[in-house]
Amino acid sequence: MLAPVGRSVPILMLLSGCIQVAAPDKPIEINLNVNVKQEVVVRLQKDADDFIANNPELFPQ
C-alpha cells in the first residue's frame, strides 16, 4: 500500500521547484475617487441645508 505514495513523493519534489513567486514591476493602484467625491457632495449639501435652516433671514422665500 505504501508503494504508490512512495513513488509520488519524488515527483512532487520535482514539481515544487518549478513554482516562482515574483513581486510586480508596477505598484498596485486602487482608484477611490468616485466614493470620495460622493461623500464630499453629501457633506456639502448637509452643511448648506443646516446653514439655510439656521439663517432664514438670509434666504427669504
Side-chain angles (χ1 to χ4, degrees):
M1 282 192 162
L2 294 176
V5 174
R7 291 181 190 161
S8 63
V9 171
I11 293 172
L12 291 175
M13 290 177 63
L14 289 174
L15 292 176
S16 67
C18 299
I19 298 172
Q20 294 180 352
V21 178
D25 294 338
K26 298 177 183 177
I28 297 171
E29 180 179 334
I30 300 172
N31 188 352
L32 298 175
N33 292 338
V34 174
N35 293 335
V36 172
K37 182 178 178 183
Q38 289 175 350
E39 182 179 346
V40 170
V41 170
V42 170
R43 283 189 181 177
L44 288 175
Q45 181 65 42
K46 183 174 180 338
D47 289 345
D49 290 341
D50 291 344
F51 183 77
I52 292 169
N54 293 332
N55 300 293
E57 69 278 359
L58 296 177
F59 303 95
Q61 291 185 357

